Every structure is written in C-alpha cells, then in structure tokens.
Amino acid sequence: MANKNALAAALTDVRKRIGRAGSKGLNEQNTKATLIEPVLRALGWDTEDVEEVVREYRIKPRDKPVDYGLLVLREAKLFVEAKPLGENLDDRRWANQIMGYASVAGVEWIVLTNGDEYRIYNTHATVPVEEKLFRSVKLSDDTPIVAETLGLLAKDE
C-alpha cells in the first residue's frame, strides 16, 4: 500500500495548485508536471526511473503514445492518459483512445485524468466501453474516498 502520509501530503499540495490555477486551468505539460507526477510519486512510482515510468509510452515506434506507461518488472501494468486541467473528460474519444491502446498492449487498468478528476477503467471488463469505468474521483473533493481510490493505483497494489 502506498505511504498514506506521502499521499495525503501530495493531495494537499495538488489541491492548492488546482485552487491557484482556478478557472484558467493549466496546459497539459504543466498539468502533468505539477498535478499528476506528484501523485504518481506519492503512490510509489519512481517517475525518474524509465524502467518504471515511461513518458510517451509506445508499443511500437509508429504508435501514438500514451502519456504514461507504468511498469513493473519492465511490463506495462497501468496506462495514464493526461489532459489539461479543466478539460472535460466526458468526451468519449479520450477513453476510447487509451482503451484501444491498452487492449493491444494487454494492460488491464487505465486512468484518464485532467489532474483533478481521475477516472479508472478496467479494459478487460466484458461490457461496452461506457460501462468499463470502475471509479471516478476528484481531488478537489476533499473526501477520504479520494485517497482510498487513488491508493488502488499504488505501485505495490
């Protein structure tokens, strides 16, 4: 399980950054650097180790990349697709894009996030794409379910 104190501290910091960004939001690169990567680190993922966290992950060189491939023993276990803070994640293109990629790679779990909202999908569920959503939380909703849900994405989980 992820270090609960590290996760709580990261969530507090990220919530402050989301508040400071306000309605103007952040571009995708700043969303990744200031909102998503601190959460990944708090969940036990070493974002500086390219054998564990691969940015712009591709199965084949010609493939369109997914923002993060999270690996255990060099095998992709979780994909994370990032969108800018403030981006509406309801657009089906985003989930379909990463879901198709994950099914080719054999990755069961994917996350679609804009740095505030995290949507966790099970790609192997034998239901239509719309029903593959496992859980969804918003970091800006300061409730215990946020840390509990994100804890499912910890490296040792």
Side-chain angles (χ1 to χ4, degrees), residues 17 21 31 35 39 43 49-50 60-61 65-66 68 72-73 76-77 79 86 92 99 116-117 121 123 130 136 143 149:
R17 292 177 187 144
T31 296
L35 304 181
V39 171
L43 291 170
D49 182 349
V50 295
K60 297 178 189 143
V66 63
Y68 297 94
V72 174
L73 301 174
K77 293 294 183 184
F79 284 162
R92 282 201 185 127
M99 208 144 328
D116 181 15
E117 184 177 359
Y121 295 87
T123 64
E130 311 69 62
S136 179
T143 63
T149 298

Side-chain angles (χ1 to χ4, degrees), residues 9-155:
L11 292 177
T12 297
D13 288 346
V14 168
R15 283 185 184 110
K16 288 178 189 169
R17 292 177 187 144
I18 290 169
R20 283 196 304 266
S23 61
K24 69 179 187 272
L26 294 172
N27 68 29
E28 187 174 315
Q29 295 306 316
N30 286 328
T31 296
K32 289 189 225 179
T34 65
L35 304 181
I36 297 169
E37 290 186 18
V39 171
L40 292 177
R41 282 191 293 275
L43 291 170
W45 296 99
D46 184 349
T47 58
E48 283 81 44
D49 182 349
V50 295
E51 291 189 0
E52 188 169 306
V53 177
V54 179
R55 291 172 183 86
E56 300 296 308
Y57 181 89
R58 303 168 196 262
I59 298 171
K60 297 178 189 143
R62 286 196 196 121
D63 290 343
K64 188 169 174 23
V66 63
D67 289 305
Y68 297 94
L70 305 183
L71 288 61
V72 174
L73 301 174
R74 296 187 181 156
E75 184 180 332
K77 293 294 183 184
L78 175 68
F79 284 162
V80 179
E81 182 64 23
K83 298 299 170 195
L85 178 64
E87 181 78 41
N88 183 345
L89 300 182
D90 289 335
D91 188 330
R92 282 201 185 127
R93 286 179 304 169
W94 309 137
N96 286 340
Q97 171 190 342
I98 189 173
M99 208 144 328
Y101 198 70
S103 63
V104 168
V107 172
E108 183 173 4
W109 295 99
I110 60 170
V111 174
L112 177 62
T113 181
N114 61 12
D116 181 15
E117 184 177 359
Y118 280 70
R119 293 184 179 188
I120 303 170
Y121 295 87
N122 181 332
T123 64
H124 291 177
T126 54
V127 294
V129 171
E130 311 69 62
E131 297 175 33
K132 291 181 185 272
L133 180 63
F134 174 67
R135 287 207 185 147
S136 179
V137 293
K138 281 191 172 191
L139 302 192
S140 53
D141 297 338
D142 190 1
T143 63
I145 195 75
V146 173
E148 180 185 309
T149 298
L150 291 178
L152 299 172
L153 306 174
K155 180 182 177 191

